[in-house]
Amino acid sequence: MSDACGCGDDETTPAGKEAEEHEAERFWQVRELQAAAVAGVLLVGALFAGGADRPGLQLGLEVAALAVGAWTFVPSTLRRLAKGKIGVGTLMTIAAVGAVLLGEVAEAAMLAFLYSISEGLEEYSLAKTRRGLRALLSLVPEQATVRRNGVEQVVAPGELRVGDVMVVKPGERIATDGVIGTGRTALDVSAITGESVPVEAGPGDEVFAGSINGTGVLEVRVTTTAEDNSLARIVRIVEAEQSRKGEAQRLADRIAKPLVPGVMIAAVVIAGIGSLLGDPLVWIERALVVLVAASPCALAISVPVTVVAAVGAASRLGVLVKGGAALEALGAIRGVALDKTGTLTRNRPSVVEVATVPGVPREQVLDVAAALEARSEHPLAQAILAAVPGVTPADDVEAVVGAGLVGRVGGRPARLGRPGWIEAGVLAGDVQRMQHAGATAVLIEVDGQLVGAVAVRDELRPEAAEVVAQLRRDGYTVAMLTGDNTATATALAREVGIEQVHAELRPEDKARLVAELRGQRRTAMVGDGVNDAPALATADLGIAMGAMGSDVAIETADVALMGEDLRHLPEAFSHARRARRIMLQNVGLSLGIVIGLMPLALFGVLGLAAVVLVHEVAEVFVIANGVRAGRTKPLASVSAAPAPAPVELTGAVR
């Protein structure tokens, strides 16, 4: 953000929940844009007053427009100047003051109007990003059950102390990190680690805040307070990284930093030396004209116009880009880190293979498995049920926590469960192969005899391999970051064509690895879950998968792919690269105008009126050029992406 908006200033940073609730939720609620609209109406009124030959009213409306527009950036510019910070807002303020001293109030008002628009557009995008932390905090349950002195009581998570014993019932979220003392269950830890299927957990296993308990009742010994648990660490990482991004200067400010002192020094030198060698009034006036000539009028409006056009076009491609900084970063990315679950994969596990013992048909194995899983809510159950057209539920089904299911199918006792609880026997080689291919294997018994094994896997998106290939053809370095186990991650990475794989990562591990990748090249992180939020914030650019993603990922990211089609990713990169080129063209033209006008104003070749006219013509030109960023051109090679070849799994059921 620029000095105008004061992003990163202690005076303007939202503090706490109350400040967040007052942030603009809608485009028209941004105060800078409201002020710009009022200033615009006043300028139009001044134009009509001039046409009606009412100079007094015209001047009054122009002064009012100047005051309203300047309110959006002059106060914060002065505050930051007091701290020794300068930016494009500093030069805009100086130019406006110079125009007023020369009697060109209308020109000063127009400068303020244009700059307030650019400030409003940036503030809107930043406000959307700051709201992301609310979704993170909503994962913490409002209360927790704790056993103290043999008595169970309900307390707020903030009241939990290290050493307390939490009682976590089926379906409840875990309030803070801890270690299981008693009980076994299948934990949904997707919010923390990104595991695609629930993880079996029992005594001695570590559990994390925000995880959802499965079927068993757990007693968990608290190991961290609510202020220092997994989710709290995620929040701190996101806050720190968003602050880093907010304080980073935008394109116009990077240019203004050396330009502002140079122009100010030049004006003082012109006025001083000119006054010694000639008429002081003439040279002071020329110095003021030089200041107006150096005002980055075209620069102030051209970049926001390009951003609005490009962002609008991106939305038609199914890509939500949150402002100019995000668009510029998207066009400059050279490395892409991809999450696995929900990004490269569908996040919908399915049956990929059925192995049977000799003499047992595959359909029988699936029928028994489906009968036992008929009333289960486990993701593996849904995958098995989807593979069987008609299911007759088993009788007397009971869950063995952390192991599997027992029941009666057709009057015969049957079991379904993990390897180890049921011996793999002659299918041991098949089970090992399934696991090496990235699948979860369950074994099925009937009358105490092993009949088969079912492999369930979260399948790759059909376009994933072609997207990765397209990214590599475009010159991007691609890596996979995931919380899943190494075997699953390696198998799927091999299938999709990714060589750089990092598995079994916690959220802070992902953030650390992304920071390392950023040290090598500008890196974007693509993810869809809460566990991806720190990495999304740490990356030069965070990209969320929208339809499958959590609110946290979408709010924390700078860019969101609003559909499930990953082919929009290389399309978005291509669109942003083109928009960035247009943006740089406009910046170059704007600087060229400033550099060309200054000597002409210095030697009196152009007076104030001519300088103002050139600025206005330049503004029209760069606006027209910026509008070109609104054109889109889908990538033909991506649009026609074929499905990747599946991993060879004997007897696969698709």
Side-chain angles (χ1 to χ4, degrees), residues 308-341:
V308 170
V311 168
S315 67
R316 294 194 294 274
L317 296 174
V319 180
L320 173 64
V321 182
K322 299 180 180 178
L327 182 69
E328 184 189 349
L330 185 61
I333 290 300
R334 300 316 303 159
V336 182
L338 297 164
D339 177 47
K340 181 186 74 66
T341 305

Side-chain angles (χ1 to χ4, degrees), residues 415-492:
R415 289 199 303 165
L416 176 150
R418 59 180 175 81
W421 186 58
I422 297 176
E423 291 301 321
V426 296
L427 298 180
D430 293 285
V431 169
Q432 186 177 22
R433 177 172 48 77
M434 291 172 177
Q435 293 174 333
H436 285 169
T440 299
V442 292
L443 297 166
I444 296 93
E445 268 187 3
V446 177
D447 282 331
Q449 299 296 316
L450 178 69
V451 295
V454 177
V456 176
R457 190 175 67 171
D458 186 10
E459 286 289 76
L460 287 167
R461 296 178 185 273
E463 72 276 13
E466 176 61 22
V467 167
V468 171
Q470 180 67 54
L471 290 172
R472 295 179 68 175
R473 282 196 298 270
D474 289 342
Y476 295 96
T477 300
V478 183
M480 177 195 287
L481 274 61
T482 180
D484 261 352
N485 63 79
T486 301
T488 298
T490 303
L492 292 178

Side-chain angles (χ1 to χ4, degrees), residues 181 268 271 314 403 471 529 589 633:
V268 171
L471 290 172
L589 176 62
K633 185 179 180 181

